[in-house]
Amino acid sequence: DRALAAARAAKAEVNASAVEAVYAGMQVFGGIAQTWEHPAHLYLRRVLVGATVLATTADLLPALAAPEATR
């Protein structure tokens, strides 16, 4: 149970952090990041799909907020 709670907390944090990191990388690379010559836009798509399809933060936070006895 503790490992599952830790994994949920990590996934909830990664959902936000990964999107911010990719957006920052795209800002650093500028216009080239939006073209097929650089894979930054592919990372953005991968992160956004992973953050929404696998488990959203909105799905994970209620499970983490529940008391340990009910998990």
Side-chain angles (χ1 to χ4, degrees):
D1 290 339
R2 296 176 93 190
L4 181 60
R8 285 178 176 158
K11 175 64 173 145
E13 178 60 32
V14 166
N15 281 347
S17 299
V19 172
E20 289 177 19
V22 172
Y23 277 138
M26 292 188 74
Q27 288 295 318
V28 168
F29 289 115
I32 192 80
Q34 300 295 327
T35 66
W36 285 106
E37 296 173 3
H38 196 277
H41 65 285
L42 300 175
Y43 293 130
L44 176 63
R45 290 181 188 173
R46 185 179 302 162
V47 165
L48 291 176
V49 167
T52 56
V53 172
L54 297 177
T56 64
T57 304
D59 295 337
L60 295 169
L61 291 181
L64 290 170
E68 276 195 43
T70 60
R71 284 191 214 157

